[in-house]
Amino acid sequence: MSSKPIPPPPPPHLSISTYLRRHRLSHRHLKHLHAQIIRRSLHHDPFLLTDLISASFASGTVRYAARLFRSLPEPDVVLCNSMLKGFTQNHLPQLALSFYVTEFLELGFSPDGFTYPYLLKACAAASDAALGRQVHASVVKADGDAFALNSLVDMYFKCGLAEPALRVFRGIRRPDPATWNVMVSGFLNLGDVKSAMEVFDRMPYRDVVTYNTLMSAHMKNGDLEIARRLFEEMPERNHVSWNALISGLAQNGRNDEALSMFREMLDSGFKPDSTTVLAVVSACCGGTYLPDEDLITRIVSLAESSLNLVSVSTALLNMYAKFGEVEEARRIFDGIPEKDVVAWNAMIGGYAQNQRPADAVELFRLMQRECGDGVKADEQTMVSLVSSCGQLGVLSLGEWVHAFIEKNDIKSDIFLTTALIDMYAKCGDVDRSIELFQSMPVKDLASWNAMITGLAIHGRGGEALKLFSLMEANAIIPNSITFIGLLNACSHGGHTKEGLELFESMKARYGIVPRIEHYGCVVDLLGRARRLDEAHELVKSMPIEPDLVIWGALLGACRSQKNVRLAEEAASRLVELDPTHDGNYVLLSNVYASLGDWERVESVRAAMKANQVRKTPGCSSVNVGGVVYEFKAGDVSHPRAGEIFAAWDGIVERIKPLGYKVDTGVLMKNILEEEEREEAVHRHSEKLALAFALICLEGDESKVPVRIVKNLRICSDCHNAMECVSKVEGREIVVRDRNRFHHFTDGRCSCGGYW
DNA sequence: TTCCCGATGT
């Protein structure tokens, strides 16, 4: 169903013909006009019908144009020429050629001066040199004009035949500018730059097109200096010259130069078109930040005024999304009247890349509702959607999307399959990832990386290392992402020795400069292996300024090993680096509390107040019966809060016999009374999610796992409790926390204490 | 209504 309004009729001061020629009209609008033509009994007017057919071809509705043609009792040569043009214009040169053979000639028409250029263009586009030669004979017989001869030269070049092209050229008595230009671009298209330059040198006059052709050829070859020189020395320039310069610079990564040439173009009074805007936006995207407000305003006003094209808007939308301005991207998206699949993909992908997976999924649903048959989701849509499912960690949603892909015959190419591997791993079903990985006929680096990272977050370090050996055996060169996965796999799997060796070989053998993420992994690795001094040395000797993650890893290690001095340093650095984050204060306070230094505990509390610390509330979601429920820590506002709290208390009673004892050590000591602290621990979001799921699943014999996703790391008390519950309930519990997966089965967790 | 130059957005 379409809610688009009926388009307005042409204003009275214009004839329908003029209106058709002046505007680019949608198919819907054309049908409306056609109806008017019939109502006014004008549908036998051949001139009007020719205009209507041309407009239909321009709007891409080829079948409609063909139907209109057949509705005319007496087509003429002009109309047939338009048909030839229209088919080729719509990238259907074979249809143009078969139209020529089976209709044009059959109807008894002879080609006129306009027929040859269209026809030869179709031959060139279809690479049909055989038919081209026949047309050549016909051109000779009919003593064709300059247009026909130039088109012949062009056709032979585009069919890859330089010799016949040269023969035709030599027979041309007075080559015109177009002739020379066809020669230059002909040789360039064959990759013969030398011959092209020879022609250029022999030319009696060079027009702006000649310069443009050569300039963009040099741009493509990366010969920017030559291209620049040609631009400087050309006697006159048109907007194509500027476009070739700007887009050439942008494609060669010279984004700032591209932007400054754009400014010069505007100052010189040239009117940018959609190509200009696309090149400029591409230059902006290549940069590290959005250009200044003034330039953006100019680009946006250009894009919004005369060039209201979906391609331009999409490029602009994409630029905002790339720099994290998702709301602005959405504003542009909402303003696109006829969104195509690329526009939808850009916006859905924008949400996915900006960690807004729920919005991505919602927009996809809107796409399904609004688009009917007009716009169909494709591979690109699915990559973003699958990635969003991974971010959400909702297995059932991911499975639904996978089924959607198969039901709609969307091709699972290497990118999409890799996205599925990543999604299944992030949704807790890494075995499914392995199946997909093994089924891939061709794997690229990203596929290997996804699989290694997937194994890593599930603590299956040994398998990740084996996979890496296989990867090396297959001569796939790892990159820095591979090593983040591997180092993570080692630290989550307790493979200290292998991890340190990998870190060395990454630098020595593969020449990869470690990024801060790599250092983080190694600090973590050493910390878990109780090699605190080495970890500290590494932090001090790193060539990069340590960040929150590094100090956090070190602090984590100090806590478990009661190294108070180092812990104090790490925790104070954490507070320095992010004074608005509550967790850092809690950690620092706990260090002082463990020393019995209540004075400092008090000062941390004061600092916390003074800095207006933001709390990141713990938040967990759980999927029951295909619906995702969200829980915030201590959330009393939940409609079933009382029931859920009571259920948890019941669970506690049942797991006490297994040795569960509430552990409040995770909370800020000396700030809350012991009773309050217990209360707070019992209301952690993952516990509420679990209790809720168990209420819903009461009496369920299928024993499907409970799958919980948490935004922060799971605390040690919740971890203990989950182990016990998995035993008394005889049900697997899968928790994805900020770092990794925990599979709780029969009283044990798959992480084996490494988390 | 005709030939030659720039680019096609995720």
Side-chain angles (χ1 to χ4, degrees):
Chain A
M1 198 184 74
S2 174
S3 56
K4 275 174 241 120
I6 295 282
H13 63 276
L14 284 180
S15 73
I16 296 182
S17 263
T18 317
Y19 189 65
L20 282 168
R21 270 182 247 155
R22 274 199 201 161
H23 301 277
R24 200 192 154 86
L25 305 168
S26 70
H27 178 49
R28 196 179 151 74
H29 200 157
L30 286 169
K31 274 167 80 172
H32 186 66
L33 284 174
H34 189 198
Q36 288 203 340
I37 288 169
I38 293 171
R39 214 175 303 135
R40 296 193 206 169
S41 294
L42 298 169
H43 52 290
H44 292 306
D45 178 343
F47 297 103
L48 190 50
L49 261 287
T50 302
D51 285 332
L52 189 62
I53 286 173
S54 297
S56 304
F57 274 123
S59 79
T61 48
V62 177
R63 291 167 60 97
Y64 188 60
R67 261 213 314 280
L68 284 170
F69 175 77
R70 300 207 198 302
S71 76
L72 261 177
E74 285 181 35
D76 62 1
V77 179
V78 175
L79 182 53
C80 288
N81 288 343
S82 301
M83 295 301 289
L84 290 173
K85 178 189 180 189
F87 285 126
T88 307
Q89 204 180 16
N90 283 281
H91 312 288
L92 298 163
Q94 279 92 357
L95 284 186
L97 298 182
S98 68
F99 175 85
Y100 177 67
V101 174
T102 64
E103 311 221 28
F104 187 97
L105 294 179
E106 285 296 306
L107 286 167
F109 291 122
S110 307
D112 68 3
F114 290 94
T115 313
Y116 288 120
Y118 291 135
L119 188 55
L120 288 165
K121 203 176 196 170
C123 291
S127 281
D128 192 338
L131 188 54
R133 280 182 219 277
Q134 287 181 38
V135 178
H136 186 173
S138 164
V139 169
V140 172
K141 220 169 108 189
D143 194 20
D145 65 6
F147 282 108
L149 292 172
N150 290 344
S151 300
L152 269 175
V153 176
D154 187 55
M155 181 274 296
Y156 280 122
F157 267 120
K158 286 197 173 130
C159 291
L161 303 169
E163 274 309 313
L166 265 171
R167 270 201 300 278
V168 178
F169 170 69
R170 289 197 196 103
I172 295 176
R173 191 170 302 225
R174 280 203 198 84
D176 64 10
T179 320
W180 290 106
N181 289 327
V182 167
M183 292 298 292
V184 171
S185 57
F187 279 121
L188 287 174
N189 285 334
L190 297 179
D192 188 349
V193 183
K194 197 166 152 275
S195 301
M197 287 309 282
E198 278 168 19
V199 174
F200 183 66
D201 290 336
R202 281 178 47 204
M203 284 167 71
Y205 40 76
R206 299 155 181 170
D207 69 5
V208 60
V209 177
T210 324
Y211 274 101
N212 290 347
T213 311
L214 274 171
M215 183 176 77
S216 68
H218 285 112
M219 281 289 190
K220 273 197 196 103
N221 290 341
D223 297 327
L224 297 200
E225 296 323 310
I226 303 177
R228 270 313 271 262
R229 214 188 53 224
L230 285 164
F231 182 79
E232 299 303 334
E233 77 180 33
M234 52 202 290
E236 53 158 339
R237 297 173 189 142
N238 61 16
H239 71 285
V240 175
S241 323
W242 286 97
N243 287 350
L245 177 73
I246 295 169
S247 62
L249 288 168
Q251 277 167 9
N252 283 285
R254 310 268 277 255
N255 300 309
D256 292 338
E257 285 171 69
L259 294 185
S260 72
M261 292 321 289
F262 173 61
R263 288 193 179 90
E264 267 191 44
M265 178 184 183
L266 294 175
D267 292 343
S268 319
F270 281 95
K271 201 170 164 350
D273 63 7
S274 64
T275 302
T276 326
V277 179
L278 285 174
V280 171
V281 172
S282 144
C284 296
C285 282
T288 42
Y289 44 83
L290 272 175
D292 59 89
E293 198 74 28
D294 175 53
L295 190 69
I296 287 287
T297 315
R298 290 164 96 168
I299 296 171
V300 169
S301 74
L302 278 170
E304 283 179 350
S305 62
S306 56
L307 327 160
N308 206 1
L309 281 176
V310 60
S311 57
V312 172
S313 303
T314 305
L316 209 57
L317 177 175
N318 183 50
M319 177 185 79
Y320 280 114
K322 198 208 149 203
F323 292 108
E325 309 234 358
V326 190
E327 300 312 326
E328 192 55 29
R330 181 61 191 256
R331 206 187 56 74
I332 293 174
F333 176 77
D334 287 335
I336 301 176
E338 300 209 10
K339 305 172 182 74
D340 61 12
V341 66
V342 183
W344 284 97
N345 288 349
M347 194 63 237
I348 294 173
Y351 280 130
Q353 274 150 33
N354 285 286
Q355 284 69 249
R356 304 238 322 233
D359 292 313
V361 173
E362 197 185 314
L363 194 61
F364 172 71
R365 295 212 163 109
L366 188 67
M367 177 181 177
Q368 295 299 103
R369 275 204 305 279
E370 279 203 349
C371 291
D373 293 335
V375 180
K376 275 209 166 77
D378 65 7
E379 293 84 357
Q380 194 80 35
T381 327
M382 291 301 126
V383 168
S384 299
L385 192 59
V386 167
S387 144
S388 301
C389 294
Q391 290 178 47
L392 289 168
V394 180
L395 181 61
S396 59
L397 185 62
E399 286 171 331
W400 181 83
V401 172
H402 195 173
F404 182 95
I405 291 167
E406 287 177 351
K407 205 177 87 196
N408 290 279
D409 283 326
I410 295 172
K411 207 172 115 251
S412 259
D413 57 15
I414 194 162
F415 300 104
L416 186 47
T417 311
T418 301
L420 285 166
I421 290 172
D422 180 67
M423 180 276 287
Y424 276 114
K426 287 190 175 133
C427 289
D429 193 351
V430 73
D431 291 315
R432 194 68 200 277
S433 303
I434 296 170
E435 273 173 37
L436 280 167
F437 182 74
Q438 286 171 343
S439 76
M440 286 178 93
V442 184
K443 306 171 174 76
D444 66 3
L445 178 59
S447 336
W448 290 88
N449 285 350
M451 196 62 251
I452 288 175
T453 307
L455 289 166
I457 56 174
H458 285 273
R460 291 163 69 160
E463 286 164 83
L465 292 171
K466 272 198 203 117
L467 201 61
F468 181 59
S469 309
L470 198 60
M471 185 174 162
E472 286 188 307
N474 278 281
I476 312 279
I477 310 292
N479 65 3
S480 80
I481 296 172
T482 319
F483 282 98
I484 293 173
L486 285 168
L487 293 170
N488 254 318
C490 290
S491 73
H492 289 154
H495 305 272
T496 314
K497 186 169 146 280
E498 292 90 338
L500 293 173
E501 282 168 9
L502 278 168
F503 188 57
E504 289 311 313
S505 95
M506 169 178 119
K507 295 183 281 186
R509 180 147 177 229
Y510 294 104
I512 296 170
V513 180
R515 297 206 306 243
I516 194 136
E517 293 94 329
H518 298 100
Y519 284 106
C521 294
V522 178
V523 168
D524 194 55
L525 194 70
L526 288 166
R528 287 174 204 283
R530 317 185 73 80
R531 289 158 69 170
L532 263 188
D533 291 336
E534 287 167 74
H536 192 200
E537 280 309 310
L538 183 66
V539 173
K540 283 193 290 192
S541 67
M542 287 170 40
I544 315 168
E545 194 62 32
D547 69 354
L548 287 164
V549 179
I550 301 280
W551 290 114
L554 199 58
L555 178 61
C558 296
R559 273 198 303 171
S560 56
Q561 289 161 52
K562 313 265 185 274
N563 184 330
V564 178
R565 267 197 35 212
L566 193 49
E568 185 193 350
E569 182 184 350
S572 358
R573 299 302 283 271
L574 282 172
V575 170
E576 269 171 42
L577 283 168
D578 186 0
T580 63
H581 191 277
D582 64 315
N584 299 332
Y585 292 90
V586 174
L587 295 169
L588 184 58
S589 162
N590 285 348
V591 173
Y592 292 134
S594 68
L595 289 168
D597 189 343
W598 308 121
E599 213 170 286
R600 286 197 173 153
V601 169
E602 195 49 48
S603 71
V604 171
R605 248 178 94 172
M608 212 169 153
K609 264 209 179 116
N611 289 331
Q612 297 197 329
V613 173
R614 129 184 83 83
K615 274 206 187 295
T616 310
C619 181
S620 295
S621 57
V622 65
N623 181 356
V624 185
V627 183
V628 178
Y629 299 89
E630 258 192 6
F631 296 90
K632 290 197 183 67
D635 185 7
V636 289
S637 65
H638 193 279
R640 294 171 71 175
E643 195 188 344
I644 294 167
F645 292 174
W648 181 255
D649 295 341
I651 290 168
V652 169
E653 290 310 312
R654 289 171 54 212
I655 60 180
K656 268 184 183 165
L658 277 85
Y660 171 76
K661 189 176 172 300
V662 61
D663 171 12
T664 56
V666 293
L667 292 183
M668 203 167 185
K669 287 208 172 76
N670 204 40
I671 287 189
L672 298 170
E673 294 301 320
E674 183 62 23
E675 233 172 76
E676 288 176 301
R677 291 164 59 197
E678 275 195 24
E679 173 80 10
V681 168
H682 283 314
R683 302 296 174 247
H684 274 179
S685 62
E686 56 270 53
K687 292 193 179 100
L688 302 183
L690 177 61
F692 178 77
L694 292 177
I695 295 173
C696 297
L697 289 167
E698 216 165 29
D700 168 79
E701 293 302 322
S702 69
K703 297 296 174 198
V704 290
V706 173
R707 298 179 180 277
I708 295 170
V709 177
K710 190 180 180 198
N711 65 337
L712 307 173
R713 278 179 69 176
I714 186 171
C715 84
S716 59
D717 183 71
C718 288
H719 198 269
N720 288 339
M722 299 264 170
E723 286 183 332
C724 299
V725 174
S726 74
K727 190 165 178 83
V728 298
E729 285 285 327
R731 189 190 289 273
E732 185 180 1
I733 302 166
V734 182
V735 179
R736 184 182 104 180
D737 72 6
R738 198 190 182 84
N739 264 11
R740 60 163 296 158
F741 271 93
H742 303 264
H743 296 263
F744 300 94
T745 343
D746 197 29
R748 315 269 301 250
C749 179
S750 63
C751 74
Y754 285 100
W755 54 287

